[in-house]
Amino acid sequence: MVVVMDLQAAGEQVQTVVARLEGLGFKAHLIHGIKRIVIGAVGDRRALDLRELELMPGVERVVPIMKPYKLVSREAKEEDSLVTVGQTVIGGSELVVCAGPCAVESREQLLAAARLVKQAGARVLRGGAFKPRTSPYSFQGLEEKGLQLMAEAAAETGLATVTEVVDAYSLEVAVQYVDILQVGARNMQNFRLLQMAGRAGKPVLLKRGLSATIEEWLMAAEYIVSEGNEKVILCERGIRTFENATRNTLDLSAVPLVKNLSHLPVIVDPSHATGDRRLVAPMARAAVAAGADGLIVEVHPDPARALCDGQQSLNPAQFAAMMQELRAVAAAVGRAA
Amino acid sequence: MVVVMDLQAAGEQVQTVVARLEGLGFKAHLIHGIKRIVIGAVGDRRALDLRELELMPGVERVVPIMKPYKLVSREAKEEDSLVTVGQTVIGGSELVVCAGPCAVESREQLLAAARLVKQAGARVLRGGAFKPRTSPYSFQGLEEKGLQLMAEAAAETGLATVTEVVDAYSLEVAVQYVDILQVGARNMQNFRLLQMAGRAGKPVLLKRGLSATIEEWLMAAEYIVSEGNEKVILCERGIRTFENATRNTLDLSAVPLVKNLSHLPVIVDPSHATGDRRLVAPMARAAVAAGADGLIVEVHPDPARALCDGQQSLNPAQFAAMMQELRAVAAAVGRAA
Amino acid sequence: MVVVMDLQAAGEQVQTVVARLEGLGFKAHLIHGIKRIVIGAVGDRRALDLRELELMPGVERVVPIMKPYKLVSREAKEEDSLVTVGQTVIGGSELVVCAGPCAVESREQLLAAARLVKQAGARVLRGGAFKPRTSPYSFQGLEEKGLQLMAEAAAETGLATVTEVVDAYSLEVAVQYVDILQVGARNMQNFRLLQMAGRAGKPVLLKRGLSATIEEWLMAAEYIVSEGNEKVILCERGIRTFENATRNTLDLSAVPLVKNLSHLPVIVDPSHATGDRRLVAPMARAAVAAGADGLIVEVHPDPARALCDGQQSLNPAQFAAMMQELRAVAAAVGRAA
Amino acid sequence: MVVVMDLQAAGEQVQTVVARLEGLGFKAHLIHGIKRIVIGAVGDRRALDLRELELMPGVERVVPIMKPYKLVSREAKEEDSLVTVGQTVIGGSELVVCAGPCAVESREQLLAAARLVKQAGARVLRGGAFKPRTSPYSFQGLEEKGLQLMAEAAAETGLATVTEVVDAYSLEVAVQYVDILQVGARNMQNFRLLQMAGRAGKPVLLKRGLSATIEEWLMAAEYIVSEGNEKVILCERGIRTFENATRNTLDLSAVPLVKNLSHLPVIVDPSHATGDRRLVAPMARAAVAAGADGLIVEVHPDPARALCDGQQSLNPAQFAAMMQELRAVAAAVGRAA
């Protein structure tokens, strides 16, 4: 950590900062610049709130050198982490596609969806039973009944399953029925939920928050891993920007960047990112080309009758065509699919 | 609601949309434009997910006319809502200042803070006991012990109290000790928490999410009010933008705009918005001039030793000076303080 | 266009708006909603500033139905536009790569760069001679001397050339030496420059502004085309968001979306978008997979000695490796490279 | 400047960086951290592009310590700069209001506007003659004819005048007729225009770009001042964010922050920032309370007939009422108005 002193910082202010740093277990190195003094502080800042130092008299700002996350970093573990769910390995050489409806609506709908995504090559079935909705007047999900249907669809098709959890109750129910717990974008900094997900022991699919920096996203993963659960799958799903021609802005650069910073697998959700059926397949192809370990895509047997997010759902034919294209792109970047 | 059809939409596609609208209880009006057909649909869209229509064949997009919120809108209630806490009325002619430390750290710290903010003219004591922290390695709060100290400080000083709740447990504890429950920015779309806060019956201070639009913020308030709790206080606390010279960007225009759209009181948090002690007083003055009903400000008896957010906390002298300035500005805009 | 009236709009206010619309050549259709009146206005709004209507008494807002751009839209011209430069066609079945240094620095540097990008398969040489720099104290470019070197490199290698123009003078000089004029991101709404580029007759590579919406970008292209120059190549180069782990956020969804909205070719600049050498190749592959017609990439014979943007420049070996990868991805999406 | 080396940086890589720094005239100090080496470099980085260092082998990143601007900084000049135009001083104890129509439309309109803003207490008349418009099909301004009318209005009322310049020609014409040259938001990084404005000798009102950081804004001012023209007035006019309930997001924190960083006067444009007449007066009051040195406000004798930006223009009565309110707020913060 580097502490930059004010232009006018008095000598005793510098000494007070040095003393404080040493009291906190850091070793301090003074650098006398042309106009100001800079203090290099050697030690582990993770337990420290930098702002504490920043408001000492004479301090202009504090520049961290180490990353704030530890367990999820590449520095902590060089080789890629693999998350295994049944026979499916996420993060390995094979591209893994999760697909299914936004919300579980009925037995017919879900089984139809499961069969069709299975046939087209998906490995994991997605389906929401506890829906976080912007409006209190919108459909909120089938809850436990929906999860029972997920389990039935899994039993029939052999697909693994993923569903979103939103609080203690939904998590408690979900662990009984599904293979992967999803923490949604709006809950990425719901730290209680992250801790519970960490303790649940099941793999966690952690979506990036709408306005979360990559560092905050990795810190959210650190919450889960620090509870002893290393099975975290990161999911880029678009961030909020000024551009509103798409629902969100898919930040695809995050894929290679996060794979540089962390050992965790990274997948991409082109459906929520774009909110536009026409853009799902091109962005899915782009995600694979950028190095994503997998995708999570909304597919509905009859999108025009979907109870949520129909506009961004693919119909069966569109999904099958996309899977075909993905195989070619995956092969081009040296990946099985 | 207005449904804009594609340039190439076939006549039967138009008819299918019209039939669907009528099935949903809307009355449809066709307008034949130069190049395309536009359908005006008269009815209540609140129960409807617009995206359902958007993916019907031939539909280009759907433009909502009515606001998605109802109970919190000015249209539903013309006069300003007042939230009364003990002898303090928020939303009325008097400017109400909430102040106190970011986190409750000790009996000494909290009582000192309570006395000093009381003396300078604050009406509500703020203090965090359950802290949502970006890092799992940071101080997480004194929990129930902290809330007992809040109650003690309230008893001694006569101040009302506000604290943040983050889940079912913290909410259950908090309602026993404090007067106002705060839902933080990172939980603004934690819909379960909003529902619980709605059912708790106590006034709720609802912070705007870092990347929440004003419409989403009002929808979050709608969640609380739709549970039967009308005592919602909105709090603008800065949004996330590209500018990082300040911690967030205080969106002060939201104050007069929200007061136009809604009958709920609006207060401003210049401490979290700027993250910079030097900017707190100017932005507090600006908030009052813009029409805010109150402020929530971080004050610490000794900011340099604060366990969290010290950099943005005022010391006692700075707070007293700010309160003095606010009185003058409040008077200039016809408000008591 | 749809005019939404206020809840309280008086009947005579509605009549005034209708009269005004008719005076402007529109046909007005009244729709009586549950709570308010909505007016559908049929006619061409392009010459009209919508805000003029929005402030008439009783009007709440105006919703445009038609897009504001005309000549660049798919509606105006269904088939893809091809921009031909020498033997190279941009927008056709072949992927076109432009590459070269950020700034022309010397004869040796430029010729070395030209030879190496040519050999690796690039078709167009990029090189800046008039550099818009954030700091007045940074290297500003070799100006005409640099362009003479571009022409020399083109003559030797057979590559086409592209360079940025920043004002009337640089444009006047550039047309004498290079094949394609680039309008940079910071000048995307320098409307005088757009008009001059439109009149210059040469193909124009139009970068998207840092904070330009897709609609504004297409309107900037409309400026050029409305001067009679249809040879516009759009270039996505990243937008400014809250995320600062990368220099900008590459908005790759813009590629398929713009190809939907417009007939103009679209290329991608992964170098400026990411500002990070390690991310250039993955994002280049992703751009091709998303359907981009080409790329523009910074390559430097010796990036560590570059006078500008070295951090994002590829060295010769990295560029050759990337070109190899691009060929595979291009083939996977049915494109020659 | 601090150079942070990679975890795996080899000793010779460190030595190469040190040698390079010394070659550039810096003095290098090595700090051996727990895991990595950090190099403190003492010297003037202004002439240096940091990215040059960042791509040397073994370097992870470079952290600047000094600000990139010099002449405009408070460090260079402690006391506030005053910009004098006729009898009006901007940046002193008096609040200065610039007001007038978005565009000069006719002699009648402009003279009416000039008289009414003069009478209500404005000191400077604004009016656009060269309009940068998003659409090539919109009204582009009266050009020189408009400036002659500005001069006539100034002669009659004694008001100073300000108008926007967009290129060499408009600047050349404008200097003959008006007192202050405005560089608009979309041209904030049109560096050629900044240099020309710097050489023109007249005061320059420099609007902040839609997506410009405060540092970039001050660098743009540095361009002007480095040409020898110290008479720069900074103008905050809203930035582009995800929120679209207002036209832009007024970043009022920029006012006290910039006054901390720079000696230049800062004014605020609440009209363009909000794009909404109803928000202009509250935001103008807030700006004054935050410490702005002045305002620039759109006023039109008959906003409903304005050729541009009517929606955000005040009518005469609204403007007079606002001026009344501003006097009270100005007095409350110790300022004459």
Side-chain angles (χ1 to χ4, degrees):
Chain A
M1 172 175 51
V2 172
V3 181
V4 181
M5 302 298 294
D6 271 344
L7 277 191
Q8 296 85 6
E12 61 187 309
Q13 290 177 331
V14 176
Q15 283 162 29
T16 310
V17 172
V18 168
R20 182 68 168 272
L21 283 168
E22 292 177 347
L24 289 162
F26 287 84
K27 246 188 109 179
H29 298 256
L30 259 67
I31 304 174
H32 293 266
I34 297 179
K35 294 202 166 176
R36 65 180 91 220
I37 288 175
V38 167
I39 306 171
V42 175
D44 189 334
R45 77 151 171 119
R46 283 189 190 105
L48 180 71
D49 193 323
L50 297 185
R51 289 192 288 265
E52 185 185 354
L53 287 165
E54 281 190 314
L55 51 77
M56 293 186 72
V59 173
E60 192 188 279
R61 67 201 159 99
V62 177
V63 180
I65 302 297
M66 288 167 82
K67 304 269 190 294
Y69 43 84
K70 192 162 48 179
L71 303 171
V72 303
S73 73
R74 267 288 172 208
E75 300 179 1
K77 182 175 167 226
E78 222 170 302
E79 66 276 20
D80 288 347
S81 284
L82 307 181
V83 177
T84 304
V85 187
Q87 316 221 356
T88 300
V89 177
I90 302 171
S93 62
E94 196 194 349
L95 182 78
V96 175
V97 176
C98 316
C102 172
V104 180
E105 296 167 18
S106 69
R107 192 167 178 279
E108 293 63 40
Q109 172 243 21
L110 189 68
L111 289 180
R115 287 171 199 142
L116 82 90
V117 305
K118 165 82 178 184
Q119 186 173 2
R123 295 304 198 94
V124 182
L125 176 67
R126 61 152 293 157
F130 296 91
K131 301 300 304 172
R133 301 301 295 273
T134 307
S135 166
Y137 310 121
S138 298
F139 173 62
Q140 308 269 329
L142 294 183
E143 311 215 337
E144 185 161 4
K145 177 82 175 64
L147 296 179
Q148 289 166 344
L149 296 172
M150 288 290 283
E152 183 184 343
E156 187 194 306
T157 56
L159 290 165
T161 50
V162 58
T163 205
E164 180 166 358
V165 295
V166 296
D167 58 4
Y169 169 69
S170 58
L171 186 144
E172 211 173 282
V173 179
V175 289
Q176 302 168 41
Y177 296 102
V178 302
D179 301 305
I180 306 174
L181 305 174
Q182 177 182 316
V183 174
R186 282 172 179 74
N187 278 316
M188 193 204 83
Q189 293 196 315
N190 181 340
F191 302 114
R192 303 289 150 156
L193 188 62
L194 295 174
Q195 286 169 330
M196 288 187 283
R199 287 177 206 135
K202 294 230 169 181
V204 179
L205 192 161
L206 177 65
K207 290 206 162 183
R208 181 179 180 186
L210 274 77
S211 64
T213 62
I214 286 173
E215 189 168 295
E216 290 169 339
W217 188 21
L218 291 173
M219 286 306 286
E222 185 90 6
Y223 256 95
I224 299 170
V225 178
S226 70
E227 296 289 337
N229 183 351
E230 299 188 0
K231 291 169 285 184
V232 177
I233 305 151
L234 298 167
C235 179
E236 161 64 32
R237 46 76 72 208
I239 57 175
R240 183 160 275 181
T241 71
F242 64 84
E243 176 58 77
N244 52 26
T246 45
R247 192 170 177 180
N248 296 285
T249 296
L250 181 60
D251 180 12
L252 219 44
S253 316
V255 173
L257 185 54
V258 165
K259 292 196 78 70
N260 241 285
L261 298 170
S262 172
H263 52 83
L264 297 173
V266 184
I267 71 169
V268 168
D269 178 346
S271 307
H272 283 87
T274 63
D276 183 335
R277 224 174 348 184
R278 301 168 303 172
L279 307 180
V280 170
M283 288 301 103
R285 296 193 308 256
V288 174
D293 295 304
L295 294 160
I296 181 162
V297 179
E298 285 191 11
V299 181
H300 195 284
D302 182 5
R305 303 220 159 263
L307 291 185
C308 88
D309 282 349
Q311 162 135 56
Q312 69 200 32
S313 291
L314 301 183
N315 67 30
Q318 290 162 336
F319 181 65
M322 184 193 82
M323 289 298 285
Q324 199 68 24
E325 294 167 2
L326 292 184
R327 264 174 221 116
V329 176
V333 297
R335 200 155 206 154
Chain B
M1 170 175 56
V2 172
V3 180
V4 181
M5 302 299 293
D6 272 344
L7 277 192
Q8 296 86 5
E12 61 186 310
Q13 290 176 331
V14 176
Q15 283 162 29
T16 310
V17 172
V18 167
R20 182 67 168 271
L21 284 168
E22 291 177 349
L24 289 162
F26 287 84
K27 245 186 110 182
H29 298 257
L30 259 66
I31 302 173
H32 292 266
I34 297 179
K35 295 203 165 174
R36 65 179 93 219
I37 287 175
V38 168
I39 306 171
V42 174
D44 189 334
R45 78 151 170 119
R46 281 186 192 108
L48 181 71
D49 193 323
L50 297 185
R51 288 192 288 265
E52 185 185 352
L53 286 165
E54 282 190 313
L55 50 79
M56 293 186 71
V59 173
E60 191 187 280
R61 67 200 160 101
V62 178
V63 180
I65 302 297
M66 289 167 79
K67 304 268 192 291
Y69 43 84
K70 192 163 46 178
L71 302 171
V72 304
S73 73
R74 266 288 171 208
E75 300 178 2
K77 183 175 168 225
E78 222 170 302
E79 66 276 19
D80 288 348
S81 284
L82 306 180
V83 176
T84 304
V85 186
Q87 317 222 355
T88 300
V89 177
I90 302 171
S93 63
E94 196 193 348
L95 182 79
V96 175
V97 176
C98 315
C102 173
V104 180
E105 296 167 17
S106 69
R107 191 166 179 279
E108 294 63 40
Q109 172 243 22
L110 189 69
L111 289 180
R115 287 172 200 142
L116 81 90
V117 304
K118 164 82 178 183
Q119 186 171 4
R123 293 306 198 93
V124 182
L125 176 67
R126 60 151 293 157
F130 297 90
K131 301 300 304 171
R133 302 301 296 271
T134 306
S135 167
Y137 310 120
S138 298
F139 174 62
Q140 308 269 328
L142 294 184
E143 310 215 336
E144 185 161 4
K145 177 83 175 62
L147 295 179
Q148 289 167 344
L149 296 172
M150 288 289 283
E152 183 184 344
E156 187 195 305
T157 57
L159 291 165
T161 50
V162 58
T163 204
E164 181 166 358
V165 294
V166 295
D167 58 4
Y169 169 69
S170 58
L171 186 143
E172 211 173 281
V173 179
V175 290
Q176 302 168 41
Y177 296 103
V178 303
D179 301 306
I180 305 173
L181 304 174
Q182 177 181 315
V183 173
R186 282 172 180 73
N187 278 315
M188 193 204 85
Q189 292 196 316
N190 181 339
F191 302 115
R192 304 289 151 157
L193 188 62
L194 295 174
Q195 287 169 330
M196 289 187 282
R199 288 177 205 135
K202 295 229 168 180
V204 178
L205 192 161
L206 177 64
K207 291 205 162 184
R208 180 179 181 186
L210 274 77
S211 64
T213 62
I214 286 172
E215 189 169 295
E216 289 169 338
W217 188 21
L218 290 173
M219 287 306 286
E222 184 90 6
Y223 256 95
I224 299 170
V225 178
S226 70
E227 296 289 337
N229 183 352
E230 299 188 1
K231 291 169 284 183
V232 176
I233 305 151
L234 298 167
C235 178
E236 161 64 32
R237 44 78 71 208
I239 57 174
R240 182 160 277 181
T241 71
F242 65 84
E243 177 58 78
N244 52 26
T246 46
R247 191 170 177 180
N248 295 286
T249 297
L250 181 60
D251 180 12
L252 219 44
S253 317
V255 173
L257 184 55
V258 166
K259 293 195 78 69
N260 241 285
L261 299 170
S262 173
H263 52 83
L264 296 173
V266 184
I267 71 169
V268 169
D269 177 346
S271 307
H272 283 87
T274 63
D276 184 335
R277 223 174 349 187
R278 301 167 305 170
L279 306 181
V280 170
M283 287 302 103
R285 296 193 309 257
V288 174
D293 295 304
L295 293 161
I296 180 162
V297 179
E298 286 192 10
V299 181
H300 195 284
D302 181 5
R305 303 220 159 263
L307 290 186
C308 88
D309 283 349
Q311 162 137 56
Q312 68 199 32
S313 291
L314 302 182
N315 68 29
Q318 289 162 337
F319 182 65
M322 184 193 80
M323 290 298 284
Q324 199 68 24
E325 294 168 2
L326 292 184
R327 264 175 222 114
V329 176
V333 296
R335 200 154 206 156
Chain C
M1 170 175 53
V2 172
V3 180
V4 181
M5 301 298 294
D6 271 343
L7 276 192
Q8 296 86 5
E12 61 186 309
Q13 290 177 332
V14 176
Q15 283 161 28
T16 311
V17 172
V18 167
R20 181 68 168 274
L21 283 168
E22 292 177 348
L24 290 162
F26 287 84
K27 245 188 107 180
H29 298 257
L30 258 66
I31 303 174
H32 292 265
I34 297 179
K35 296 201 166 175
R36 67 180 89 218
I37 287 174
V38 167
I39 306 170
V42 174
D44 188 335
R45 77 152 171 116
R46 283 189 189 105
L48 180 70
D49 193 323
L50 298 185
R51 289 192 288 265
E52 184 186 354
L53 286 165
E54 282 191 314
L55 50 78
M56 292 186 71
V59 172
E60 192 188 279
R61 66 202 160 99
V62 178
V63 180
I65 303 296
M66 288 167 81
K67 305 268 191 293
Y69 43 85
K70 192 162 49 179
L71 303 171
V72 303
S73 73
R74 268 285 172 210
E75 300 178 1
K77 181 175 168 225
E78 222 171 301
E79 65 277 18
D80 289 346
S81 284
L82 306 180
V83 177
T84 303
V85 187
Q87 317 221 355
T88 299
V89 177
I90 301 172
S93 63
E94 196 194 348
L95 182 79
V96 175
V97 177
C98 315
C102 172
V104 180
E105 298 167 16
S106 69
R107 191 165 179 280
E108 293 64 39
Q109 172 243 22
L110 188 68
L111 288 180
R115 287 169 200 145
L116 80 91
V117 304
K118 163 83 179 183
Q119 183 171 7
R123 293 308 197 92
V124 182
L125 176 67
R126 61 152 291 159
F130 296 90
K131 302 299 304 171
R133 301 302 295 271
T134 307
S135 166
Y137 310 120
S138 298
F139 173 62
Q140 310 269 330
L142 294 184
E143 310 214 336
E144 185 161 4
K145 176 84 174 62
L147 296 178
Q148 289 166 343
L149 295 172
M150 288 289 283
E152 181 183 345
E156 185 194 306
T157 58
L159 291 165
T161 50
V162 57
T163 205
E164 181 167 357
V165 294
V166 295
D167 59 4
Y169 169 69
S170 57
L171 186 143
E172 210 172 282
V173 180
V175 290
Q176 303 169 40
Y177 296 103
V178 301
D179 301 305
I180 306 173
L181 304 174
Q182 176 181 315
V183 173
R186 283 172 178 73
N187 278 316
M188 193 205 83
Q189 292 196 316
N190 182 338
F191 302 115
R192 304 290 151 158
L193 187 62
L194 295 174
Q195 287 168 329
M196 288 187 282
R199 287 178 207 136
K202 295 230 169 181
V204 178
L205 193 160
L206 177 64
K207 290 207 161 184
R208 180 178 180 187
L210 274 78
S211 63
T213 62
I214 286 172
E215 189 168 295
E216 289 169 339
W217 188 20
L218 290 173
M219 286 305 287
E222 184 90 6
Y223 257 96
I224 299 169
V225 178
S226 70
E227 296 290 338
N229 183 351
E230 300 188 359
K231 291 169 282 181
V232 176
I233 305 152
L234 298 167
C235 179
E236 160 65 32
R237 46 75 73 208
I239 57 175
R240 183 160 274 183
T241 71
F242 65 84
E243 178 58 78
N244 52 27
T246 45
R247 191 169 178 181
N248 296 285
T249 296
L250 180 60
D251 180 12
L252 219 43
S253 317
V255 173
L257 184 55
V258 166
K259 292 196 76 72
N260 242 284
L261 298 171
S262 173
H263 51 83
L264 297 173
V266 184
I267 70 170
V268 169
D269 177 346
S271 307
H272 284 87
T274 63
D276 183 335
R277 221 175 350 185
R278 300 168 305 170
L279 307 180
V280 170
M283 288 302 102
R285 295 193 309 257
V288 174
D293 295 304
L295 293 160
I296 181 163
V297 179
E298 286 190 12
V299 181
H300 195 283
D302 181 6
R305 303 221 159 262
L307 290 186
C308 88
D309 284 349
Q311 162 134 55
Q312 69 199 30
S313 291
L314 301 182
N315 67 31
Q318 290 162 337
F319 181 66
M322 185 193 80
M323 289 297 285
Q324 198 69 22
E325 295 167 3
L326 292 184
R327 263 174 222 118
V329 177
V333 297
R335 201 156 205 153
Chain D
M1 169 176 53
V2 172
V3 180
V4 181
M5 302 298 293
D6 272 342
L7 277 191
Q8 295 85 6
E12 61 187 308
Q13 290 176 332
V14 176
Q15 283 162 28
T16 311
V17 173
V18 168
R20 181 67 168 271
L21 283 168
E22 292 177 348
L24 289 162
F26 287 84
K27 243 186 112 182
H29 299 256
L30 258 67
I31 303 174
H32 292 266
I34 297 179
K35 295 201 165 176
R36 66 179 91 220
I37 288 175
V38 167
I39 307 170
V42 174
D44 188 335
R45 77 149 170 120
R46 281 190 192 102
L48 180 70
D49 193 322
L50 296 186
R51 288 192 288 264
E52 185 186 354
L53 286 165
E54 282 191 313
L55 51 79
M56 293 185 72
V59 173
E60 192 187 279
R61 67 202 158 99
V62 178
V63 180
I65 302 297
M66 288 167 81
K67 304 268 191 294
Y69 43 86
K70 192 162 50 179
L71 303 171
V72 303
S73 73
R74 267 287 171 207
E75 301 178 1
K77 180 174 169 226
E78 223 170 301
E79 66 276 18
D80 288 347
S81 284
L82 307 181
V83 177
T84 303
V85 186
Q87 316 221 355
T88 299
V89 178
I90 302 171
S93 63
E94 196 193 347
L95 182 78
V96 175
V97 177
C98 316
C102 172
V104 180
E105 297 166 18
S106 69
R107 191 166 179 278
E108 295 63 41
Q109 173 244 23
L110 189 68
L111 288 181
R115 287 169 199 144
L116 80 91
V117 305
K118 164 82 178 184
Q119 184 171 3
R123 293 307 198 93
V124 181
L125 176 67
R126 60 152 292 158
F130 296 90
K131 301 299 304 172
R133 302 301 296 273
T134 307
S135 166
Y137 310 120
S138 298
F139 174 62
Q140 309 268 331
L142 294 184
E143 311 215 335
E144 184 160 5
K145 176 85 174 63
L147 296 179
Q148 289 166 343
L149 296 172
M150 288 290 283
E152 182 183 346
E156 185 195 306
T157 58
L159 291 165
T161 50
V162 58
T163 205
E164 180 166 358
V165 294
V166 296
D167 60 3
Y169 169 69
S170 58
L171 187 142
E172 212 172 282
V173 179
V175 290
Q176 303 169 40
Y177 296 103
V178 302
D179 301 304
I180 306 174
L181 305 174
Q182 176 182 316
V183 173
R186 282 172 179 74
N187 278 316
M188 194 204 83
Q189 291 196 316
N190 182 339
F191 302 114
R192 303 290 150 157
L193 188 62
L194 295 174
Q195 287 168 329
M196 288 187 282
R199 288 176 207 137
K202 294 230 168 180
V204 179
L205 193 160
L206 177 64
K207 290 207 161 183
R208 180 180 180 185
L210 274 78
S211 65
T213 62
I214 286 173
E215 190 169 294
E216 289 168 340
W217 188 20
L218 291 174
M219 287 306 287
E222 184 90 5
Y223 257 94
I224 299 169
V225 179
S226 69
E227 296 289 337
N229 183 352
E230 300 189 359
K231 291 169 283 182
V232 176
I233 304 152
L234 297 167
C235 178
E236 160 64 32
R237 47 76 72 208
I239 58 175
R240 181 159 276 183
T241 70
F242 65 84
E243 178 58 78
N244 52 27
T246 45
R247 192 168 176 181
N248 296 286
T249 296
L250 180 60
D251 179 12
L252 219 44
S253 317
V255 172
L257 185 55
V258 166
K259 293 196 76 73
N260 241 284
L261 298 171
S262 173
H263 50 83
L264 297 173
V266 184
I267 71 170
V268 169
D269 177 347
S271 307
H272 284 87
T274 64
D276 184 335
R277 221 175 349 185
R278 300 168 304 171
L279 306 180
V280 170
M283 288 302 102
R285 296 193 309 257
V288 174
D293 295 305
L295 293 159
I296 181 162
V297 179
E298 286 191 12
V299 181
H300 195 284
D302 181 5
R305 303 221 159 262
L307 290 186
C308 90
D309 284 349
Q311 163 135 57
Q312 69 200 30
S313 290
L314 302 182
N315 67 30
Q318 290 162 336
F319 181 66
M322 184 192 81
M323 290 297 286
Q324 199 68 25
E325 294 168 3
L326 291 184
R327 266 175 219 114
V329 176
V333 296
R335 201 156 205 153

